[in-house]
Amino acid sequence: MEKLGLNEIRKKFLEFYKSKGHLVHESFPLIPDNDKSLMLINSGMAPLKPYFSGLKTPPSKRMTTCQKCIRTGDIENIGYTERHGTFFEMMGNFSFGDYFKEQSITWGWEFITEVLKLPEDKIWATIYLDDDEAHDIWRNKIGMPEEHIVRLGKEDNFWEIGIGPCGPCSEIYFDRGEEYGCGKPDCKPGCECDRYMEFWNHVFTQFDRHEDGTYTPLAHPNIDTGMGLERIACIMQGTDSIFDIDTIQHILRQVEAVAGVKYESGKAKTDISIRIITDHIRSVTFMISDGILPSNEGRGYVLRRLLRRAARHGKLLGINKPFLADLTDVVVEVSGEAYPALVEKHDYIKKIVNIEEEKFAETIDQGTNIINSYIDELTKEGKTVLPGDKAFKLYDTYGFPLELTTEILAEHQFTADEEAFNQLMEQQRENARNARKSDAEVAWQDENIGFFNTGDPTEFTGYDKLIDEARIEAIIIDRETVDEIREGQEGVVILNKTPFYAEMGGQVGDRGTIEADGCVLRVNDTVKAKDFFVHKVKAEKGSVKAGDTVTASVDPLFRNRTARNHTATHILQAALKQVLGDHVSQAGSLVNPDELRFDFTHFEALSAEEIQKVEDIANDEIAKFEDVNTTVMSLEEAKQSGATALFDDKYADSVRVVSVGDFSKELCGGTHVSNSGQIGAIKIVSESGVASGVRRIVAITGDGIAKALRADESLISDVSSALKTQPANLITRIGSLEDEIKSLKKELEDIKAQNIGNSVGDLLDGAKVINGVKLVTAKFDNIGIDELRAFSDELKGREKGLVNVLAAVNNGKVTFLVSVSDELVEKGYHAGKMIKEIAKAAGGGGGGKANMAQAGAKDASKIDDAFAVAETLL
């Protein structure tokens, strides 16, 4: 058996199956494509489910991949064992109704014995207990000894998930030798000891399972195999641990070098931390390369959790500086040839890791100290469970994931009340959900009007028309269906067809009028309820009845300005991708006639240069006067065409793709201009953060820019008038005012210093001597803490053996300052201890060092009482 490297095994596998007529497909991204059943791709067949289910036609009936995978179900075990990892690669060959068991098994045997050259006498196979066909192939076609073929039950060798396609499987094992065994005479695959290592599973999908538990044969059975690359590398390299195979060792050695500790392949705490960092940095690097950003939910939370867990274990190893970003260099070095995206996005990956690690560094020490104080409290109280509200505070205030809190607690044999924590989390989510609900959602979300269950859906004609003839299908006033709406009344009207766009996808609903003979209904908003367009109206004149024919007219200025801003968001997103990278994706938007608001995924604030570059690219595209085209196509065609979409969202089979020349292509149901030149121009007015990993741009277009310019001109005129100068001289005028202010501040400081000097002499003259110590007490009105310190420093500078207790009153609030001379500190006097008692007398509290301490208090009438406490303490 040749000792092959991990990268070499992968290459040989893919080349072998290519020679057998398989299409070699690159690894799919870790983010599942339109599959909400998975957060992250966790197996080789997961991205291929649409091909197995028949929802999509595969590019070839035979495919082979080496798939990147993340499994997070046992994160807590990572590092504590030598076999668990969050990131792994799964090699597989797949047949979609082409070849079946015999070719799957015989090709598999050929690969492991002739290419990998595994010794035949070390190979065992398990089969489903009723699968005589697989048994005959192993026994008669392959020639495997009967005693090496093990029949196991449904739990071990039958693959099914609920109803649908399923079938038996055959797993291939490697015998590692008696030294790994349990010593039992019947030890074989299926035994729980470590002797037999399963490394390749061949699933024979040949049945369809029905709800009644019966099975019928599939007309076109499939093959799905999976071989863990790291696991076969362990066998080929003769190691017991995934952390000892060549590529992972390379990363681990770099962790050793950074930490300055040696990995002993044992159970020492340092070994655990090294393994955690080594595994997690692999996952983190691949996740970021596939467009995942740190956040507080979903897959972004998994990424953040892995990053922070690795950073904390770096701290435990004594690494007191950011180090994870540099470790990505090694991951790219060992995996970049197989996964070119790692090389292409290397700088971007490092930037994300560095930003996240620095964020966590700001809180980890504080959070750890708080956890340690909680642990001390639990120990003193004889308790072992941290209350859920304290665990939640660590998460909500200090950014500590619950998993990190529980891990630290477990290291001291404590747990957290996770049920109470989860209740507080759900309460917070519910509050957020309620805060997000708009008036329209509240009004219509739970609507139970019978019409919505019986009427025909509204036909939307507004892509092509702003005016259309329609029939009133229903009138609703105060949530009751009525026959007529009269002048002065407000309600909603539903038409059989309408040119009014209903609020969707961030674009606000149209406004305008619905008119009939002698009647005008003002449409103030248009929303959607189920498949019906709901026109919110006020009858300005006359009356109209259900069944009447009316003319529905959209306000053209409202629609056109909104359409202009909507098309501008498409151009803006494409420009952002050009400047910042392909990780940019839409996280929300609002488009109305006045402005556009675009939320997008990005990890840091944009610089002024980046904003200017985005704006310039967008305006260059607008100035090209490109046609805006709309095409209806299948969802699959839209994806293949490169259209941008929120692919986590649910789309119909047919979708609308809006293209701005060759610059932008997006799935969109909104209304748009027909040519980019109609936008006029775009001006970004603000850029800010709205959530972790999400930024927001607000921009204006067309005559909105002219309005903003007029507002700016008016402001400049007002400022110029106030400063008694011309707009052209504003900068010079402001500069001279700054010099004047600086001069006046210096003059004021000199006066204050002189007053302090004069006052200090008077204070010292009035000092009391108590047990050989001079005590100065004084109250000041309307001075800040800096001036209070200046008084204190001046007093201490003039007199030895002095304690001064000073109080400043500002807007009814009291600030105390206690200062003790150095020679008294050496004798044991302590300002921090004194101030606790002094401030308490006035309803306050505080603390500080031995030579100086500060405190706040609420009751200014008790200052003299506080001074009396100072005398008592001395």
Side-chain angles (χ1 to χ4, degrees):
M1 181 171 65
E2 190 178 352
K3 189 174 183 178
L4 297 176
L6 181 140
N7 288 324
E8 197 172 359
I9 297 170
R10 184 198 302 110
K11 186 177 181 182
K12 285 181 179 292
F13 182 89
L14 297 176
E15 287 177 347
F16 175 81
Y17 278 97
K18 183 179 181 181
S19 75
K20 302 298 183 185
H22 289 64
L23 170 68
V24 178
H25 196 292
E26 66 181 13
S27 173
F28 292 86
L30 287 166
I31 301 175
D33 183 7
N34 213 30
D35 182 356
K36 292 194 175 183
S37 68
L38 287 177
M39 183 183 294
L40 294 158
I41 293 297
N42 61 3
S43 68
M45 68 81 63
L48 306 175
K49 282 195 291 186
Y51 302 146
F52 282 113
S53 65
L55 291 175
K56 293 183 182 178
T57 302
S60 170
K61 285 194 170 185
R62 298 179 181 183
M63 286 178 64
T64 183
T65 65
C66 184
Q67 177 62 45
K68 302 172 286 188
C69 302
I70 296 278
R71 287 186 185 168
T72 58
D74 53 7
I75 285 182
E76 290 75 15
N77 287 323
I78 308 301
Y80 292 90
T81 74
E82 296 183 285
R83 292 187 184 179
H84 287 92
T86 53
F87 176 85
F88 63 96
E89 298 177 62
M90 183 68 77
M91 301 186 297
N93 58 286
F94 311 95
S95 166
F96 308 105
D98 187 27
Y99 61 84
F100 200 48
K101 288 184 190 178
E102 183 172 336
Q103 283 172 299
S104 181
I105 292 173
T106 53
W107 283 340
W109 180 258
E110 181 183 346
F111 178 71
I112 60 179
T113 59
E114 296 183 22
V115 179
L116 297 186
K117 296 183 171 54
L118 294 183
E120 294 184 14
D121 62 330
K122 294 285 188 182
I123 301 171
W124 290 60
T126 62
I127 59 173
Y128 179 52
L129 56 87
D130 293 336
D131 194 352
D132 294 332
E133 183 184 0
H135 171 272
D136 291 345
I137 296 168
W138 280 116
R139 184 72 190 93
N140 301 324
K141 299 288 184 182
I142 301 300
M144 180 175 283
E146 183 67 40
E147 61 272 18
H148 278 215
I149 305 170
V150 181
R151 292 179 186 262
L152 295 175
K154 209 169 189 180
E155 185 176 335
D156 296 294
N157 278 77
F158 197 95
W159 184 88
E160 65 180 347
I161 302 176
I163 61 172
C166 59
C169 63
S170 180
E171 295 181 321
I172 306 176
Y173 286 75
F174 184 79
D175 181 359
R176 304 168 73 206
E178 291 183 7
E179 64 271 25
Y180 291 94
C182 57
K184 296 177 183 177
D186 62 343
C187 182
K188 58 187 175 183
C191 181
E192 293 184 0
C193 71
D194 292 333
R195 177 171 177 173
Y196 298 95
M197 180 186 285
E198 182 269 320
F199 64 91
W200 200 356
N201 188 15
H202 291 238
V203 178
F204 313 126
T205 312
Q206 64 188 94
F207 299 114
D208 188 11
R209 186 179 191 273
H210 305 288
E211 288 187 5
D212 61 4
T214 59
Y215 299 86
T216 56
L218 290 172
H220 303 288
N222 303 314
I223 289 293
D224 156 28
T225 84
M227 183 197 299
L229 179 55
E230 290 82 0
R231 185 166 289 194
I232 189 64
C234 283
I235 293 172
M236 300 298 297
Q237 297 174 25
T239 70
D240 295 336
S241 165
I242 62 170
F243 294 95
D244 290 328
I245 62 179
D246 60 333
T247 53
I248 300 179
Q249 266 284 300
H250 198 56
I251 301 167
L252 186 145
R253 294 300 172 209
Q254 188 60 32
V255 177
E256 281 183 319
V258 173
V261 296
K262 193 70 179 169
Y263 181 69
E264 303 293 344
S265 297
K267 302 297 181 186
K269 286 185 177 180
T270 53
D271 285 358
I272 292 170
S273 293
I274 290 171
R275 286 194 289 266
I276 286 171
I277 296 167
T278 301
D279 170 80
H280 288 7
I281 199 61
R282 292 179 79 213
S283 296
V284 161
T285 304
F286 276 93
M287 290 172 77
I288 295 173
S289 77
D290 277 348
I292 300 170
L293 286 171
S295 70
N296 285 332
E297 54 189 18
R299 57 183 71 96
Y301 181 70
V302 174
L303 174 60
R304 172 162 285 167
R305 182 181 171 190
L306 294 174
L307 266 166
R308 292 188 167 187
R309 192 167 187 250
R312 176 180 171 262
H313 279 274
K315 282 265 188 186
L316 294 179
L317 291 176
I319 306 173
N320 292 312
K321 61 179 182 179
F323 70 101
L324 293 174
D326 289 337
L327 287 180
T328 65
D329 296 347
V330 198
V331 180
V332 174
E333 181 185 336
V334 297
S335 300
E337 185 177 348
Y339 300 101
L342 294 177
V343 180
E344 295 166 11
K345 299 180 179 180
H346 189 188
D347 290 341
Y348 166 70
I349 294 167
K350 290 186 73 169
K351 195 167 190 178
I352 298 293
V353 173
N354 197 52
I355 289 170
E356 184 66 15
E357 191 175 8
E358 286 181 353
K359 277 184 187 175
F360 189 47
E362 295 171 4
T363 62
I364 187 170
D365 290 335
Q366 189 175 14
T368 303
N369 288 337
I370 291 169
I371 292 177
N372 289 337
S373 71
Y374 289 161
I375 289 170
D376 289 341
E377 288 177 17
L378 292 172
T379 303
K380 288 176 185 175
E381 295 169 4
K383 298 178 181 177
T384 60
V385 181
L386 181 71
D389 60 333
K390 292 187 174 180
F392 184 75
K393 181 180 180 181
L394 282 163
Y395 166 80
D396 197 41
T397 307
Y398 302 104
F400 257 54
L402 175 64
E403 297 82 6
L404 188 53
T405 298
T406 55
E407 182 176 331
I408 296 172
L409 289 171
E411 290 167 2
H412 296 82
Q413 288 74 55
F414 294 110
T415 60
D417 185 346
E418 295 189 32
E419 185 177 345
F421 174 91
N422 291 330
Q423 287 174 354
L424 290 166
M425 276 294 293
E426 184 54 37
Q427 182 180 324
Q428 187 184 67
R429 290 191 189 104
E430 184 62 29
N431 291 340
R433 281 193 290 267
N434 291 336
R436 285 196 296 266
K437 285 183 180 177
S438 68
D439 291 340
E441 288 173 320
V442 172
W444 296 101
Q445 186 177 26
D446 299 321
E447 191 60 77
N448 193 29
I449 298 172
F451 176 81
F452 290 148
N453 299 317
T454 59
D456 292 327
T458 309
E459 178 190 351
F460 177 60
T461 62
Y463 289 135
D464 306 310
K465 302 176 180 179
L466 292 183
I467 301 175
D468 203 358
E469 297 294 312
R471 181 179 67 254
I472 296 179
E473 296 290 336
I475 301 169
I476 301 162
I477 298 175
D478 294 331
R479 303 172 71 85
E480 294 290 336
T481 303
V482 297
D483 293 329
E484 184 179 18
I485 185 169
R486 300 183 184 90
E487 186 173 323
Q489 288 184 312
E490 295 183 12
V492 301
V493 167
I494 297 170
L495 307 175
N496 67 321
K497 59 179 179 175
T498 182
F500 283 79
Y501 183 84
E503 182 174 351
M504 284 178 290
Q507 179 176 331
V508 298
D510 279 333
R511 298 176 186 175
T513 60
I514 295 173
E515 298 181 60
D517 290 340
C519 175
V520 177
L521 305 181
R522 176 68 54 190
V523 180
N524 296 313
D525 196 6
T526 312
V527 298
K528 235 186 166 189
K530 295 187 178 179
D531 293 324
F532 302 97
F533 285 57
V534 177
H535 307 81
K536 297 183 178 183
V537 303
K538 181 174 183 179
E540 293 186 341
K541 179 182 176 184
S543 65
V544 70
K545 294 181 178 180
D548 286 354
T549 298
V550 294
T551 300
S553 304
V554 176
D555 180 340
L557 292 179
F558 189 94
R559 162 69 78 84
N560 292 337
R561 284 170 174 151
T562 303
R564 184 177 61 202
N565 284 337
H566 199 155
T567 308
T569 63
H570 287 217
I571 293 173
L572 180 64
Q573 179 169 202
L576 283 165
K577 283 180 178 287
Q578 280 196 21
V579 174
L580 305 178
D582 288 337
H583 65 279
V584 167
S585 62
Q586 182 176 334
S589 69
L590 175 65
V591 180
N592 61 40
D594 301 318
E595 65 182 20
L596 64 93
R597 191 181 76 197
F598 185 72
D599 296 348
F600 59 98
T601 54
H602 191 53
F603 47 86
E604 64 180 351
L606 273 65
S607 67
E609 291 76 17
E610 287 172 328
I611 291 173
Q612 186 62 60
K613 195 170 181 181
V614 169
E615 203 175 87
D616 288 345
I617 291 172
N619 281 317
D620 285 348
E621 188 59 31
I622 290 168
K624 289 178 183 177
F625 283 64
E626 295 277 12
D627 286 337
V628 179
N629 295 310
T630 301
T631 309
V632 177
M633 60 181 74
S634 72
L635 180 60
E636 189 58 35
E637 287 174 327
K639 291 181 182 181
Q640 291 175 0
S641 74
T644 300
L646 300 172
F647 284 119
D648 278 346
D649 281 7
K650 183 73 175 173
Y651 290 99
D653 293 335
S654 292
V655 293
R656 191 165 174 267
V657 177
V658 177
S659 303
V660 182
D662 295 326
F663 185 73
S664 167
K665 183 182 288 187
E666 290 190 37
L667 270 67
C668 182
T671 63
H672 292 271
V673 298
S674 59
N675 186 285
S676 64
Q678 292 171 320
I679 298 170
I682 186 170
K683 176 65 182 172
I684 296 173
V685 295
S686 70
E687 190 275 341
S688 60
V690 292
S692 178
V694 179
R695 309 295 302 175
R696 171 174 293 170
I697 278 178
V698 176
I700 51 179
T701 64
D703 58 356
I705 297 175
K707 290 177 185 175
L709 282 172
R710 285 197 294 273
D712 287 347
E713 288 169 356
S714 177
L715 178 63
I716 291 169
S717 176
D718 291 345
V719 172
S720 300
S721 176
L723 296 181
K724 296 181 175 58
T725 188
Q726 295 299 313
N729 298 327
L730 269 176
I731 299 299
T732 303
R733 176 64 175 144
I734 290 169
S736 65
L737 285 173
E738 285 178 338
D739 291 340
E740 188 178 334
I741 290 168
K742 214 177 284 182
S743 175
L744 288 170
K745 279 185 175 179
K746 176 68 169 63
E747 188 178 333
L748 183 59
E749 292 300 324
D750 290 343
I751 293 169
K752 284 182 178 179
Q754 185 178 346
N755 287 339
I756 289 172
N758 293 337
S759 300
V760 163
D762 295 337
L763 290 173
L764 288 172
D765 289 342
K768 295 181 180 180
V769 179
I770 303 171
N771 289 332
V773 174
K774 289 184 178 178
L775 172 67
V776 169
T777 59
K779 182 181 82 170
F780 303 90
D781 291 320
N782 300 317
I783 71 168
I785 187 63
D786 290 337
E787 290 173 83
L788 213 56
R789 286 198 188 100
F791 269 108
S792 176
D793 291 343
E794 186 70 21
L795 285 163
K796 284 170 66 176
R798 291 200 191 184
E799 192 76 36
K800 294 186 180 299
L802 178 71
V803 171
N804 54 72
V805 180
L806 309 179
V809 181
N810 292 281
N811 298 321
K813 295 183 179 179
V814 183
T815 301
F816 284 107
L817 187 75
V818 175
S819 180
V820 177
S821 297
D822 292 343
E823 58 274 8
L824 293 179
V825 171
E826 292 172 4
K827 293 180 180 179
Y829 289 81
H830 196 290
K833 293 178 182 178
M834 291 178 68
I835 204 166
K836 287 181 182 178
E837 301 301 322
I838 292 168
K840 191 187 297 182
K849 297 179 180 178
N851 63 340
M852 183 175 287
Q854 180 180 329
K858 300 174 182 177
D859 193 346
S861 68
K862 297 291 180 65
I863 290 177
D864 288 339
D865 294 345
F867 290 161
V869 170
E871 293 182 29
T872 303
L873 291 172
L874 290 183

